[in-house]
Amino acid sequence: MAAAANGGGGETKAAFARIYDALKAELLRDPAFEYTESSHQWIDRMLDYNVLGGKCNRGLSVVDSYKLLKGVDVLTEEEMFLASTLGWCIEWLQAFFLVLDDIMDDSHTRRGQPCWFRVPQVGFIAVNDGILLRNHISRMLRLHFKKKPYYADLLDLFNEVEFKTASGQMLDLITTHEGEKDLTKYNIGVHRRIVQFKTAYYSFYLPVACALLLSGESLENYGAVENILVEMGTYFQVQDDYLDCYGDPEFIGKIGTDIEEYKCSWLVVQALEHADESQKSILFENYGKKDPACVAKVKDLYKELNLEAVFHEYESESYKKLIADIEAQPSVPVQKVLKSFLHKIYMRQK
């Protein structure tokens, strides 16, 4: 089998992008459904609108991790296709979550364009589109992996991660609801549980688990790796919460709204932990209000409590612990995969 042009980062991205076109074309020829011209056009447009447009970090991580596990810089054409297909399955999963999340959150924009359900003529058809996006994953896995010995493990992995993520989303939605009645319900345990289930499994564990299965490994032997990746995902989300308040909107590409939206953010949890009674009352009066003056009071309180320093201390401790845990792993290629993830996110500014 000829080697694919997938050596450098730019080449890998280009090869990965071409494979999206091939997968989409296959879905649009799926013999299980008789496409009309209008349904063909709808799916074509819906996929381009929702699956594309992100940075594809999760999907590309499957390819990068697989290369590190195999100890090669270039994959064969078939290896590149299979690794990219699993990467795109994760991007499809992300699209499915985001389409439905935006409806639940009543959001307006996503990736610099109107949310899919806000597009004229789409509306709540977006709910069914979300269901179709999820079903496309099963179609792609069946088409390309059915004869592989790890097919059942792949299906199980995607089902497991989807269940964890949807449960994390439920926790986020009902906690925000409860918090509106009582801010003291927000604590580090609640925050951690939401983050682990809603973000860490599908963003960090899933790409590496896909690469391990492709490499012929059994996931049962990698419980410690799962724990490290979930810890990394937790650290990633804490960074996100921090950047929501302290990041430069020009640089991170969005304006933070966690305070206005009453989010169970790491910062508010830390504020509740460090504040005295009078400071807590400022939080209770102003958190979750759209009024810019209220938001400013919360930010002033964060400054007073020196939460920037608290975050930098957390970041440094997390990094040290993660490095120690990674270096305790017996497999050097696995260590390389984990370190490559950590170094992509450590001290990031966006």
Side-chain angles (χ1 to χ4, degrees):
M1 178 72 72
N6 58 61
E11 284 176 1
T12 301
K13 274 186 183 166
F16 188 71
R18 284 194 298 275
I19 289 165
Y20 165 80
D21 293 328
L23 293 169
K24 182 176 74 166
E26 284 173 348
L27 288 166
L28 289 168
R29 300 194 294 271
D30 193 327
F33 178 66
E34 293 170 18
Y35 280 98
T36 59
E37 194 180 335
S38 59
S39 60
H40 188 287
Q41 283 173 355
W42 183 277
I43 296 294
D44 192 4
R45 176 181 173 223
M46 185 271 286
L47 290 177
D48 287 356
Y49 198 95
N50 294 295
V51 179
L52 301 180
K55 296 185 286 291
C56 290
N57 285 341
R58 293 170 184 82
L60 287 163
S61 293
V62 179
V63 179
D64 294 340
S65 299
Y66 186 42
K67 284 181 185 174
L68 288 168
L69 290 171
K70 282 184 71 71
V72 299
D73 289 330
V74 179
L75 299 171
T76 67
E77 212 168 306
E78 190 192 0
E79 287 169 342
M80 182 62 189
F81 184 81
L82 292 176
S84 298
T85 298
L86 291 180
W88 279 115
C89 284
I90 300 175
E91 294 297 329
W92 248 264
L93 188 69
Q94 157 95 330
F96 155 59
F97 290 140
L98 298 185
V99 165
L100 297 181
D101 275 13
D102 286 343
I103 298 171
M104 289 181 260
D105 294 344
D106 201 27
S107 300
H108 287 270
T109 57
R110 163 78 60 190
R111 295 168 172 169
Q113 58 183 9
C115 298
W116 178 238
F117 81 100
R118 299 269 179 202
V119 172
Q121 275 87 55
V122 176
F124 288 133
I125 297 173
V127 176
N128 193 63
D129 288 334
I131 295 167
L132 282 171
L133 284 162
R134 174 58 184 101
N135 276 273
H136 285 166
I137 297 168
S138 306
R139 309 305 291 168
M140 291 186 279
L141 293 177
R142 183 171 182 238
L143 192 58
H144 296 291
F145 295 93
K146 195 173 182 186
K147 293 194 166 62
K148 303 288 182 195
Y150 51 84
Y151 178 54
D153 292 329
L154 265 181
L155 292 177
D156 198 39
L157 173 65
F158 273 88
N159 288 339
E160 193 79 4
V161 169
E162 183 193 352
F163 173 69
K164 286 180 190 293
T165 309
S167 301
Q169 169 71 350
M170 171 201 61
L171 211 50
D172 191 20
L173 293 165
I174 65 174
T175 305
T176 304
H177 218 63
E178 285 171 13
E180 279 168 359
K181 301 186 208 84
D182 181 7
L183 195 58
T184 57
K185 289 225 171 90
Y186 286 179
N187 60 54
I188 203 70
V190 169
H191 176 268
R192 189 180 174 79
R193 201 169 294 121
I194 292 170
V195 167
Q196 281 186 357
F197 287 101
K198 188 181 172 182
T199 305
Y201 277 97
Y202 93 92
S203 298
F204 284 79
Y205 174 61
L206 183 55
V208 176
C210 283
L212 284 166
L213 287 176
L214 265 181
S215 306
E217 298 290 339
S218 166
L219 296 181
E220 285 173 10
N221 302 330
Y222 289 92
V225 170
E226 177 178 343
N227 294 339
I228 290 168
L229 287 159
V230 170
E231 277 305 315
M232 227 182 274
T234 306
Y235 161 57
F236 177 84
Q237 186 58 48
V238 171
Q239 287 177 313
D240 241 28
D241 290 357
Y242 173 81
L243 291 169
D244 185 271
C245 181
Y246 292 103
D248 176 357
E250 285 292 302
F251 192 59
I252 60 175
K254 60 183 179 186
I255 295 162
T257 54
D258 284 0
I259 295 171
E260 293 92 319
E261 290 174 8
Y262 223 101
K263 289 281 183 192
C264 182
S265 155
W266 185 83
L267 291 168
V268 78
V269 164
Q270 293 301 319
L272 286 163
E273 218 165 89
H274 290 83
D276 60 29
E277 289 312 310
S278 71
Q279 289 169 324
K280 276 184 188 167
S281 66
I282 294 169
L283 260 187
F284 295 149
E285 281 162 36
N286 297 287
Y287 199 73
K289 305 245 165 61
K290 297 263 188 273
D291 180 353
C294 296
V295 175
K297 281 182 187 162
V298 173
K299 287 190 174 182
D300 288 344
L301 180 62
Y302 287 176
K303 193 169 261 170
E304 204 179 301
L305 294 168
N306 207 1
L307 291 191
E308 274 193 80
V310 174
F311 168 75
H312 291 307
E313 168 73 7
Y314 165 84
E315 180 158 61
S316 153
E317 287 305 310
S318 295
Y319 181 77
K320 274 189 261 186
K321 182 175 181 342
L322 283 165
I323 285 289
D325 290 347
I326 290 167
E327 289 180 346
Q329 293 310 299
S331 158
V332 173
V334 165
Q335 283 191 30
K336 284 183 180 166
V337 169
L338 295 171
K339 282 184 179 174
S340 84
F341 265 78
L342 183 55
H343 291 136
K344 275 179 205 158
I345 63 170
Y346 181 53
M347 293 187 85
R348 70 192 174 98
Q349 300 300 308
K350 67 175 188 179

